[in-house]
Amino acid sequence: MIEIEIDGKKVEVREGSMVMEAANKVGTYIPHFCYHKKLSIAANCRMCLVEVEKAPKPLPACATPVTNGMIVRTHSEKAVTAQKSVMEFLLINHPLDCPICDQGGECQLQDLAVGYGPSSSRYEEDKRVVVPKDAGPLISMREMARCIHCTRCVRFGQEVAGVMEFGMLNRGEHSEITSFVGKTVDSELSGNMIDLCPVGALTSKPFRYKARTWELSRRKSVSPHDGLGSNLIVQVKAGEVMRVLPLENEEINECWLSDRDRFSYEGLKAEQRLKHPMLKQDGKWIETDWQTALEYVAHGLRNIRHEHGADAIAALAAPYSTLEELSLLKKLVKGIGSENIDFRLRQSDFALSGEVTPWLGMSIAEFSQIKRAFVIGSFLRKDHPLLAAKLRSAVKGGAQLSVLHASDDELLIATANKLIAAPSAWLSALGEIMSAVAAAKSVALPAGFNNVEASAEAKGIATSLMSGEPRAIFLGNAAVQHPQASQLHAAAQWLAEQTGATLGYLTEAANTVGGHIVGAYPGNGANALQLVQQPRKAYILLHAEPELDTYDPQAARAALSGAEMVVVMSPYAHGADYADVLLPIAPFSETAGTFVNCEGRAQSFNGSVKPMAETRPAWKVLRVLGNLLDLQGFNYETSEEVRNEALGFALNEKNIDGDLRSRLSNRSKLAPQAVAASSGETVERIAPVPIYQTDAIVRRSPPLQETRDALPPVAAMSPALATKLAVIDGDMVRVTQGNGSAVLPAAIDARLPQNVVRVAAAHPSTSMLGGMFGEVRVEKA
């Protein structure tokens, strides 16, 4: 440690630190624009000039390393004069459009100009003009004349997002920040550039001209879209969500947000919002009141139980339902006498049900410190944007990433080892890695694995896993959805035990872990796949759109169409062709609730705005329904009572982490089984869930649906398969699976195995197909 003096205060900082870090430690503010604690040092705005004793001229605090005994003055006459001179230069070309600038009220340049800017300008020449640019549907670059070339956006793309989408052109006063050759900005983290911009050059296109920052109320919330549980600030005006920003939490999302978390709020205002309870009578939908609708539901459920037995009633819930909603839905279904409830809608193998409660296996902070990671079956960037960014940062710091997947996607992370194989070959590929580990460590393989030969790729993954620590093996969304998910888990667990790695899951949704904690799945009843493949007479759907959210949408559609009663509980009007009752329930922004994130952290939040029109929080609807069915234990006054009962204790800051993690386990007693590699003769499907199709809110956000990631699905195939089918890029092909088929444009993708076709799930154009994995037929249409 080195001791220096700043404005008369002594402070100890580590060797190699900059003066800016020392000033932050002592609580002294130095004005700056280009410096950001999460980005590399650029030192190109010069606003942070300070006086350093014995230095001939002021030095930039962000780029001046500390030395022992250094004396720094941040507010001396010499420092302030230098800072004011820099401000005068910055304002020379800046357009004086504060009254109409979207950044007004939260603009660093505006704030600092008050303290350091002159009252009038000496500059009389013409100001420069920068041509506006189109960066896509999320970021507005209409006023790039305001840019002060701090390059924060450029550095964010290179260092955090992993892709340089902005750069600087030209020299001197002709310098300008632009995207490449007219391309749009397509990173899944691009919205963070808006936050980073210290002036009004990059602004939010959806929020543009909607409100002034001082008109907005701020509410804390939690993102419902992936397993990270990013902390949000929801900004509200006149009872409407106007904007969503990151709430800084160093232990979870740091100061970043994915675009899905940032812009999905536009889906809260969608035209499809369900505003009143509705009943179908004689094939026509009529609005009704809550009392009538709930009595109709209670009467219908009683009749079906009486005529067909309680087992004919089933409930399917989306995994981003809150802990309280899942807990009450389970209580309701079991109170009726049925076991048929499940939230694991995209899963197909339930052999580990009740034995494994999947979670990350470590804290998010520990995840950032991994030195060796092996990820099995994950579209990493699109499934988990911020976890991918943390992994990218770890790899930059010397970590190694190995991947087993069916598509060699561009992860924007330097990957040490890749094993790209058809989904049916994943298990045999893991067998090869097990064989390589056993040979290297001279340990016995489980029965049946003795004749497995390891490929060069498998040996590379094994060597990496044994070479550094901490190390971890993660099962991604595609591995959980895989028809052999339990066997993949068993093989991964054996590898983790032999290499000393932690076994973890990159969990799919905001409350996947919470669903397991409250046990919102069948004990003895049918699981989510059986509930659609073996149709029931009545279905209660909580937040779920089964034709988009289930493993087998073909079977789901058939089951719902044949049911006697379907109750849709959703913020949106959907399922009009098969539903009997539509109950408008509140999305996350209009209800109180709790999500348990991938690390087992319970995070409670309150509604940011009042429920729209006749919308009601789902936990209240379920409570009233329980009372109408004369079930015991439905007398709750608050959502906190429901939560505390579900968890078995009152939640507070002290017991959030330990108590919930102690209930989570990735350990299974299942022994790994050797399987032979598939012949590779049949054509197999791999079905990613597109990043902007994951849930009902995201699917209805107009700006997200205009992005490149939201383009309609294609049938992507290897060049070899395309040649075999006599198909060229852009030809229409018919993909047939089960009883349904979809006609899609073909795309040639050399990153896919020879016998694999990549057809996205969770999209209306592919919802008539069967399971997310399995054999498909492809022919030229």
Side-chain angles (χ1 to χ4, degrees), residues 552-555 685 735-737 740-742 744 759-760 766-771:
D552 188 347
Q554 196 179 95
R685 180 184 181 190
V735 180
T736 306
Q737 191 180 19
S741 63
L744 304 166
V759 179
T766 58
S767 65
M768 62 291 297
L769 297 176

Side-chain angles (χ1 to χ4, degrees), residues 610-629:
K610 287 181 179 175
M612 182 184 283
E614 288 294 303
T615 299
R616 296 287 180 269
W619 72 267
K620 289 187 176 181
V621 176
L622 291 166
R623 178 194 66 187
V624 175
L625 202 48
N627 290 328
L628 289 172
L629 287 164

